[in-house]
Amino acid sequence: MVGAVMIALAPSGQFSLEWTHSVEKEGWREHWQVTDHGTLRLVGAAVKGSGAGMEPGPGGHFENGWWVWKADGPEVPELELAASGATVSGWTLCMKDCQTLGVTPEAPIRIAPCPTSGN
């Protein structure tokens, strides 16, 4: 596969990613923030179950069927999502609306903030 699909995010936006864990077959959700520095930061996460690398993070609590916790991840320039089509599910990306990505084999999907003038 050649190239990549790029999803550009508005400055200071927020989005979530959700997928099904390939081993445990349970939901995983992450909440991300576009920072003022033009990077991405993980600010929260939730898992539907536990086990096989799905343990709740520090301060996790059970809420509406999910283990939920706040995160203060490092700033990263972009996320790259595999799109093999061979996993249990695709990725559900939600901003204002939701869309499913990576269900079929395709180039990796990159999610990054839009460049701002002056950077």
Side-chain angles (χ1 to χ4, degrees):
M1 287 176 249
V2 178
V5 174
M6 175 65 100
I7 297 173
L9 304 167
S12 301
Q14 297 180 6
F15 66 96
S16 66
L17 283 172
E18 187 170 333
W19 64 95
T20 301
H21 190 275
S22 62
V23 174
E24 296 296 331
K25 312 292 190 275
E26 295 281 1
W28 188 293
R29 185 182 301 149
E30 293 180 343
H31 299 284
W32 291 83
Q33 174 73 46
V34 179
T35 72
D36 293 336
H37 305 111
T39 59
L40 304 173
R41 180 185 301 250
L42 179 65
V43 295
V47 292
K48 194 75 168 164
S50 62
M54 290 187 65
E55 293 75 22
H61 63 280
F62 201 66
E63 180 180 307
N64 297 323
W66 291 77
W67 285 100
V68 178
W69 66 97
K70 292 185 188 277
D72 188 18
E75 293 183 23
V76 296
E78 68 180 24
L79 300 176
E80 184 173 289
L81 309 178
S84 69
T87 56
V88 176
S89 73
W91 307 85
T92 300
L93 171 70
C94 298
M95 293 178 276
K96 188 175 185 180
D97 297 310
C98 296
Q99 59 183 315
T100 302
L101 310 165
V103 174
T104 59
E106 59 185 303
I109 300 160
R110 290 198 170 106
I111 299 174
C114 287
T116 58
S117 60
N119 283 357

